Amino acid sequence: MTDALKRLSEEGVAIWLDDLSRKRITSGNLAELIDQQHVVGVTTNPTIFQKAISQGDGYDQQVSDLAARKVTVEEAIRMITTADVRDAADILRPVYDATDGQDGRVSIEVDPRLAHNTRSTVAEAKQLAWLVDRPNTLIKIPATEAGIPAIAEVIGLGISVNVTLIFSLERYRKVMDAYLTGLEKAKERGLDLSQIRSVASFFVSRVDTEIDKRLNDIGTDEAKALLGKSAVANARLAYQAYEEVFSSDRWNALESAGARKQRPLWASTGVKDPAYKDTLYVVDLVAPNTVNTMPEATLFAVEDHGEIAGDAVTGTYEQARAVLDAVEALGIAYDDVVQVLEDEGVEKFEASWNDLLKSTQAELERLAPSEG
């Protein structure tokens, strides 16, 4: 059997795992995925942590200690999640060292309830970076309107950032602009630009979910012919934008000062529609200097039967634009789709965070020591 994951890595795609739990860390599973499946990074989000903490007893000892200290539920969550991220970062440290800081990264998200507050997001990012205290951490900041200036400010402080919840091409350009602005601020402060890294998480599968729903509502043959094509087209056009920005004079000036490119990261790459091949959002988005963060099921699907045929993105831009134009021509407004997806994305993470608060509070109460 050909090693599809190895081939993917050789094509310039960094394989990151879109999952983390204490059990993964303590069982040796994460180390095994790094060793056997070419995994070179980890991403987390509120949903992943809510799922991890609510299952099993892996967190009981720490929660018991936190309960004995009578900490707030918010502090408990921060202590629990940053402990996992710190331990995962230590496991990935050899990868970080071997790739000169390019990979071996672990991402942790700011409180999603702050998504529309610039100042609070910056403060939270600084606190998380201090708490985890590992050079191979990325702080995740959502690409909301309030998130854009926060990204520039945090990068300007020398903190590496994973920009998340990007759906629209216009917003992606603003994200790249914020990265360059942040690097310019960091340069003015005399910081070492080579130590600042960033990825831009461009969400994939949810674009098909939303547009396909609207295409099915239209129901014509013309509409059905476009099913399952929008997400890949959108991501490919994002890569075109990346190529443009990171070949500009503005970028070249920063690169000559030591800056590193902000890589596009394909997120939400688990296929939602069983009618599509389960490796779709990996094999159709192979491109140099990208990251693909996969849920475990997608990772193993690619390993088992993924067909990696080289760069699948460069040179496809005209075709990709034609797909989105055809969708728009049917009356499906792109701007409305991406706004709906951003709003839903923030709401889902807020809901997961609230579930996390509730389940952690219940665990604190269950494991609280009896008085006396």
Side-chain angles (χ1 to χ4, degrees):
M1 186 177 77
T2 58
D3 190 338
L5 295 173
K6 182 170 184 284
R7 178 79 198 279
L8 192 62
S9 302
E10 290 168 350
E11 289 293 338
V13 180
I15 298 167
W16 290 9
L17 178 71
D18 193 25
D19 190 54
L20 185 64
S21 67
R22 192 153 297 176
K23 186 178 179 184
R24 251 191 218 290
I25 292 164
T26 57
S27 67
N29 172 260
L30 178 57
E32 186 178 293
L33 291 170
I34 295 164
D35 185 51
Q36 303 292 326
Q37 274 76 36
H38 308 278
V39 168
V40 293
V42 169
T43 49
T44 67
N45 60 45
T47 304
I48 285 169
F49 278 127
Q50 192 274 327
K51 182 180 168 188
I53 293 168
S54 64
Q55 292 178 350
D57 58 4
Y59 295 89
D60 281 7
Q61 183 59 59
Q62 187 181 14
V63 174
S64 178
D65 290 345
L66 291 165
R69 289 174 48 218
K70 294 183 167 56
V71 303
T72 65
V73 64
E74 280 88 356
E75 185 183 349
I77 287 169
R78 277 299 168 232
M79 292 299 104
I80 293 164
T81 57
T82 55
D84 278 1
V85 169
R86 192 179 306 114
D87 288 345
D90 288 344
I91 293 168
L92 279 154
R93 184 61 189 263
V95 176
Y96 171 84
D97 292 336
T99 60
D100 191 28
Q102 177 87 325
D103 287 305
R105 298 275 178 175
V106 186
S107 298
I108 184 168
E109 189 136 359
V110 297
D111 184 334
R113 296 172 299 178
L114 308 177
H116 301 298
N117 187 316
T118 302
R119 187 177 172 195
S120 298
T121 295
V122 172
E124 172 91 340
K126 288 160 68 177
Q127 174 73 0
L128 282 174
W130 178 83
L131 263 178
V132 177
D133 193 28
R134 294 293 185 272
N136 50 329
T137 310
L138 292 171
I139 307 302
K140 289 180 85 172
I141 298 176
T144 56
E145 288 287 358
I148 297 297
I151 292 156
E153 185 59 35
V154 171
I155 290 288
L157 295 170
I159 297 170
S160 295
V161 172
N162 175 343
V163 184
T164 187
L165 285 177
I166 309 170
F167 297 96
S168 94
L169 296 165
E170 181 188 2
R171 187 63 57 82
Y172 178 42
R173 286 186 180 274
K174 288 182 179 178
V175 166
M176 291 186 284
D177 181 73
Y179 178 57
L180 300 191
T181 299
L183 288 172
E184 287 158 355
K185 289 183 179 187
K187 186 180 176 186
E188 285 173 17
R189 291 180 173 132
L191 299 177
D192 181 355
L193 299 191
S194 71
Q195 297 304 302
I196 303 170
R197 300 302 175 96
S198 184
V199 293
S201 295
F202 201 86
F203 278 52
V204 185
S205 66
R206 295 185 199 180
V207 174
D208 271 343
T209 302
E210 182 63 26
I211 290 180
D212 282 3
K213 182 173 68 177
R214 300 183 189 204
L215 288 169
N216 279 318
D217 286 345
I218 294 168
T220 63
D221 289 344
E222 189 182 7
K224 289 179 180 176
L226 291 166
L227 291 169
K229 294 182 177 178
S230 301
V232 167
N234 198 40
R236 286 172 170 173
L237 291 173
Y239 192 80
Q240 180 185 33
Y242 155 79
E243 287 187 314
E244 288 172 10
V245 170
F246 289 99
S247 60
S248 65
D249 291 342
R250 184 184 178 196
W251 166 250
N252 291 337
L254 287 163
E255 189 171 44
S256 65
R260 307 297 174 90
K261 289 177 181 175
Q262 180 188 56
R263 287 182 292 174
L265 178 152
W266 311 129
S268 182
T269 55
V271 173
K272 308 280 195 292
D273 190 328
Y276 306 150
K277 62 184 180 184
D278 54 3
T279 60
L280 173 64
Y281 303 127
V282 178
V283 300
D284 283 19
L285 291 175
V286 175
N289 208 38
T290 57
V291 179
N292 196 306
T293 186
M294 309 176 207
E296 188 176 60
T298 303
L299 177 75
F300 285 124
V302 174
E303 181 180 52
D304 180 64
H305 52 266
E307 296 177 7
I308 310 302
D311 186 343
V313 176
T314 309
T316 63
Y317 309 135
E318 198 173 313
Q319 178 188 0
R321 172 52 59 195
V323 168
L324 294 190
D325 285 349
V327 169
E328 191 95 30
L330 290 173
I332 298 172
Y334 177 85
D335 289 345
D336 180 63
V337 167
V338 294
Q339 190 59 55
V340 165
L341 289 170
E342 181 186 308
D343 293 344
E344 281 183 357
V346 173
E347 285 167 17
K348 282 176 183 173
F349 281 167
E350 275 190 33
S352 293
W353 194 261
N354 288 328
D355 288 344
L356 181 54
L357 286 167
K358 288 175 195 165
S359 56
T360 304
Q361 183 63 50
E363 288 295 284
L364 286 167
E365 290 168 6
R366 180 176 73 85
L367 295 165
S370 55
E371 294 299 326

